[in-house]
Amino acid sequence: MDKLLIEGGVRLEGETAISGAKNAALPLLCAALLTREPLTLTNVPDLNDVGTMLTLLEQMGVKVGREASRNGAEGLTVTLDAGGLDNPVAPYELVKTMRASILVLGPLVARCGEAKVSLPGGCAIGARPVDQHIKGLTAMGAEVTVEHGYVHARAPHLRGARLFTDMVTVTGTENLMMAACLAEGETVIENAAREPEVVDLANCLVAMGAQISGAGSDVIRIRGVASLHGATHRIMPDRIETGTYLCAAAATGGSIRLTGTSSSYLDAVVDKLMDAGCDIKSERDAIVLKAPPRLTAVSLRTSPYPAFPTDMQAQFMAINCVADGTAIIRETIFENRYMHAVELIRLGADIRIDGNTAVVKGVERLEGATVMATDLRASASLVIAGLVAQGETLIERIYHLDRGYEHLDRKLSALGARVRRVK
């Protein structure tokens, strides 16, 4: 199993391209299940989670074509043809490593009238129940049971309904929105997730012939149609990858330019980095950051979009570890998302955890050590800490990184970091 070896103490400088968004790509791949015609997606990130989802779709009978971009900076072009879809089952063997696999549930029920999907796995950052997905599909007329670790849903015809989710759920909103595209009548999703990835999915579905309004607000309306057709859609840039590289450059006192991305998806993150002392300039399709010699500690509270994203909490904990002052971090989305704190303490960080609150007191320096990645974003925080730590940091279990960051070691190396994979 690969590990990542980082020799810290180097400022990140230069330019790198941001990949397509993982959290947009996965539901968009599932959208192909809604039509018999080919769906072509461009700017698809080359990630383990994307590969897992494509394998899952293939075993359902979807034909998958992959083509790499000529310059390597535009991701993959993936064409999916679900005309021969004949096996609406998502088995545990493919689902166990990726929670996003639950996103096949809504499209399969809408298109096939039936779906059998294993309860998903993924990062161990807390309970992310699928009850809101089930509640919504039941309201639309599906008969749903959970037996032997599988969600089994049947519905000869889904009907439009008014759906109110008890909590803001991104995958729940996406699943129900896809299912509603082929339901009879109008579906209204209230308390809907407002994330840009939800809007990206809606834009693709509209290009396929869906009738959707309100995406990006907390009320989404979908009028069902008899069928959807094929389309071509470019996946939005990954805002979390963008934020991660900005944090890495900020922590090292660096100066970088990120291309193929936009600050419009990252207002809360950019504001916090500027509070920390960074100079940030937004260009049409790029972001430029110049960091001070030492950052100022910034407190934050995670909340659903457009507030500060939970997927950037770990990265900011890492930069606060070496900032001037004390920061208070409150995690309100997941109850078990401070596992990286223990690993950061191994590097010399001063962190105290009390329930959902972390108190981070900046130290003059971190020192390299062997640490273990516990989830995707925790892995990113350890990379950032390793980049500023004196000596060598060895990060184990980096398969988490490969799930969500395309060619991380190559991109960091191109920015001057001393980082390499080791067996």
Side-chain angles (χ1 to χ4, degrees):
M1 188 177 294
D2 285 1
K3 304 176 183 181
L4 204 63
L5 183 65
I6 302 173
E7 185 179 347
V10 177
R11 298 172 67 245
L12 295 189
E13 294 184 300
E15 179 177 298
T16 193
I18 294 300
S19 303
K22 175 183 86 82
N23 289 340
L26 298 178
L28 284 164
L29 292 171
C30 296
L33 296 169
L34 290 166
T35 177
R36 294 181 176 275
E37 299 181 13
L39 173 65
T40 298
L41 300 173
T42 63
N43 200 34
V44 180
D46 185 11
L47 302 168
N48 284 357
D49 273 10
V50 168
T52 299
M53 182 65 80
L54 292 176
T55 301
L56 176 61
L57 295 175
E58 283 180 312
Q59 69 89 37
M60 293 178 181
V62 179
K63 294 180 181 178
V64 176
R66 305 171 179 84
E67 182 181 349
S69 64
R70 292 180 180 179
N71 60 8
E74 293 291 322
L76 304 172
T77 295
V78 176
T79 300
L80 305 114
D81 184 349
L85 176 66
D86 60 1
N87 183 34
V89 177
Y92 173 74
E93 290 73 22
L94 290 173
V95 169
K96 63 183 178 181
T97 62
M98 185 179 63
R99 296 199 63 86
S101 50
I102 193 66
L103 286 163
V104 302
L105 180 63
L108 286 176
V109 175
R111 165 92 181 277
C112 304
E114 182 177 14
K116 186 178 180 182
V117 181
S118 172
L119 291 170
C123 289
I125 58 176
R128 292 188 280 184
V130 299
D131 57 328
Q132 301 303 305
H133 306 241
I134 294 172
K135 174 185 172 184
L137 289 173
T138 301
M140 295 170 72
E143 177 186 334
V144 186
T145 58
V146 180
E147 297 177 328
H148 307 295
Y150 279 81
V151 179
H152 198 169
R154 300 179 183 87
H157 300 286
L158 290 175
R159 302 183 303 272
R162 180 182 176 186
L163 310 177
F164 182 87
T165 58
D166 298 333
M167 55 185 288
V168 177
T169 162
V170 176
T171 54
T173 298
E174 293 167 339
N175 228 343
L176 298 175
M177 183 167 65
M178 286 190 283
C181 287
L182 298 180
E184 297 177 1
E186 184 180 67
T187 298
V188 180
I189 305 175
E190 300 186 32
N191 199 30
R194 300 164 61 186
E195 271 74 0
E197 293 80 7
V198 174
V199 177
D200 203 33
L201 173 62
N203 290 340
C204 179
L205 293 170
V206 169
M208 295 167 67
Q211 297 183 16
I212 302 172
S213 62
S217 75
D218 59 0
V219 179
I220 301 176
R221 297 179 181 274
I222 309 101
R223 180 162 294 281
V225 296
S227 63
L228 297 180
H229 52 71
T232 297
H233 178 80
R234 179 179 173 82
I235 294 174
M236 64 173 284
D238 196 315
R239 62 192 175 98
I240 304 303
E241 184 193 31
T242 301
T244 299
Y245 281 103
L246 291 175
C247 284
T252 62
S255 176
I256 64 169
R257 183 172 184 266
L258 304 177
T259 61
T261 188
S262 170
S263 62
S264 62
Y265 309 122
L266 280 168
D267 287 342
V269 171
V270 168
D271 285 349
K272 289 296 181 182
L273 285 170
M274 293 176 70
D275 289 345
C278 295
D279 178 36
I280 299 178
K281 290 183 171 59
S282 298
E283 301 177 0
R284 181 181 175 185
D285 294 305
I287 304 174
V288 178
L289 176 142
K290 185 175 182 180
R294 190 179 186 193
L295 300 171
T296 300
V298 288
S299 297
L300 59 94
R301 180 181 186 273
T302 65
S303 291
Y305 188 86
F308 193 91
T310 181
D311 277 355
M312 285 300 304
Q313 175 259 110
Q315 296 90 316
F316 267 77
M317 181 178 286
I319 69 174
N320 277 320
C321 287
V322 291
D324 181 23
T326 299
I328 297 175
I329 298 175
R330 291 186 172 89
E331 171 61 58
T332 71
I333 307 299
F334 296 121
E335 74 280 4
N336 195 26
R337 205 163 198 180
Y338 284 145
M339 292 185 289
H340 48 281
V342 176
E343 303 301 312
L344 290 171
I345 290 170
R346 287 180 53 79
L347 298 173
D350 185 347
I351 304 171
R352 291 185 291 109
I353 304 295
D354 182 10
N356 71 338
T357 300
V359 179
V360 186
K361 184 178 180 181
V363 297
E364 289 292 333
R365 67 177 188 178
L366 298 177
E367 295 183 351
T370 298
V371 292
M372 181 178 68
T374 54
D375 63 72
L376 173 54
R377 306 309 173 186
S379 306
S381 76
L382 299 180
V383 170
I384 294 170
L387 290 171
V388 299
Q390 293 189 352
E392 292 186 341
T393 297
L394 184 66
I395 304 175
E396 298 182 340
R397 291 172 59 175
I398 63 166
Y399 59 83
H400 288 294
L401 281 170
D402 294 333
R403 290 184 48 232
Y405 290 97
E406 185 177 40
H407 309 313
L408 178 76
D409 49 331
R410 297 186 208 170
K411 290 185 179 183
L412 286 174
S413 296
L415 294 172
R418 293 176 293 208
V419 53
R420 61 188 175 92
R421 286 176 180 259
V422 295
K423 295 294 182 182

